[in-house]
């Protein structure tokens, strides 16, 4: 496979602007007028509601702007210090397998985290990437504490994917208090800096660049 175009936007990208660009690019890819695109952005603080979002999971609706998103999944947070990776990939060429795509995105995150000696893991029934926190007290049922470090939500149009991944580098984790992240209660949310790692956004971008081909080429 030819490597997708790789784009990194500086500053904060408004969510509506990102959706408009993705919509246009996906149409162009499906019509053969453009190639695939991996687009890395940061957003101002906001919440998005996926197609499975439960209104009860929006605990503080007046805190930040709330956007109805047509991606899969439930409520999630985006904001400064979080790398959002929009993946516009042509599954007509890569195989029309949504589960394989989601698994590939998870594996990509896991590979990038491993560059910083962080063990990211997937969990049955919980899309995204999780980090074990044995230093924290267990949950009330006695199960070990795990924190989410990356969320995944995708949409397909004519077998071209868009939306994608968010990975926490150094966001304000308190901002997650306004929602039930991805509809999962009990477990928490973490970031690379919260784990004690002095990782910058540029560091993560390089790790994502280095590991992409292992999963998708």
């Amino acid at each position: 496979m030819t490597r997708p175009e790789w784009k990194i936007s500086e500053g904060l990208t408004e969510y509506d602007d990102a959706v408009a660009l993705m919509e246009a690019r996906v149409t162009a890819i499906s019509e053969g007028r453009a190639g695939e695109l991996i687009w890395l952005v940061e957003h101002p603080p906001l919440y998005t509601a996926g197609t499975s979002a439960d209104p009860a999971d929006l605990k503080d609706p007046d805190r930040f702007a709330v956007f109805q998103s047509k991606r899969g999944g439930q409520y999630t947070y985006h904001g400064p210090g979080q790398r959002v990776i929009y993946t516009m990939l042509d599954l007509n060429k890569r195989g029309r397998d949504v589960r394989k795509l989601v698994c590939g995105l998870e594996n990509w995150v896991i590979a990038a985290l491993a560059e910083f000696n962080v063990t990211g893991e997937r969990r049955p029934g919980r899309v995204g990437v999780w980090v074990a926190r044995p230093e924290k007290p267990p949950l009330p049922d006695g199960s070990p504490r795990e924190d989410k470090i990356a969320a995944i939500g995708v949409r397909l149009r004519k077998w071209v994917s868009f939306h994608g991944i968010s990975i926490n580098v150094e966001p304000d984790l308190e901002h997650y208090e306004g929602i039930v992240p991805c509809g999962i209660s009990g477990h928490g949310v973490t970031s690379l800096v919260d784990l004690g790692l002095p990782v910058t956004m540029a560091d993560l971008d390089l790790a994502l660049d280095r590991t992409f081909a292992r999963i998708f080429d």
Side-chain angles (χ1 to χ4, degrees):
M1 290 293 299
T2 301
R3 179 183 169 87
E5 179 187 351
W6 198 273
K7 177 181 177 181
I8 302 175
S9 290
E10 301 296 331
L12 301 179
T13 300
E14 295 295 332
Y15 187 75
D16 282 342
D17 294 341
V19 171
L21 186 149
M22 283 192 288
E23 295 268 359
R25 184 66 174 239
V26 165
T27 298
I29 293 170
S30 67
E31 294 176 352
R33 296 184 288 106
E36 297 177 315
L37 173 64
I38 303 295
W39 184 26
L40 284 66
V41 307
E42 284 181 84
H43 288 306
L46 59 94
Y47 297 130
T48 66
T51 54
S52 303
D54 181 345
D57 288 343
L58 181 60
K59 298 189 294 183
D60 190 354
D62 298 322
R63 187 167 194 170
F64 299 125
V66 180
F67 294 87
Q68 299 299 314
S69 173
K70 296 179 181 179
R71 60 160 175 81
Q74 303 185 50
Y75 281 102
T76 194
Y77 166 76
H78 295 314
Q82 180 193 78
R83 177 53 87 205
V84 177
I85 306 114
Y86 289 129
T87 54
M88 286 151 269
L89 299 175
D90 189 352
L91 301 195
N92 294 292
K93 299 177 180 179
R94 294 180 177 273
R96 295 182 174 185
D97 189 330
V98 180
R99 289 187 179 181
K100 180 180 177 182
L101 170 66
V102 172
C103 184
L105 295 175
E106 290 174 334
N107 285 338
W108 184 23
V109 174
I110 290 167
L113 293 176
E115 297 278 299
F116 308 106
N117 296 315
V118 173
T119 301
E121 299 175 303
R122 61 167 57 89
R123 289 290 179 264
R126 289 193 251 143
V127 175
V129 177
W130 299 79
V131 177
R133 304 301 300 272
E135 75 280 11
K136 292 188 174 184
L139 295 178
D141 64 2
S143 58
R145 173 71 178 269
E146 298 172 338
D147 287 346
K148 192 169 193 175
I149 195 167
I152 294 173
V154 298
R155 185 184 178 195
L156 298 181
R157 179 180 296 156
K158 296 183 178 179
W159 291 103
V160 178
S161 72
F162 55 126
H163 296 278
I165 306 167
S166 59
I167 304 175
N168 289 337
V169 178
E170 192 180 8
D172 186 339
L173 297 179
E174 196 271 336
H175 288 175
Y176 281 91
E177 295 297 322
I179 57 172
V180 178
C182 302
I184 298 171
S185 300
H187 296 287
V189 181
T190 190
S191 69
L192 287 163
V193 171
D194 182 55
L195 293 172
L197 300 168
V199 177
T200 68
M201 197 69 71
D203 294 332
L204 177 62
D205 292 348
L206 287 173
L208 290 165
D209 193 348
R210 282 194 299 264
T211 55
F212 179 84
R214 298 182 206 167
I215 310 301
F216 290 102
D217 288 356

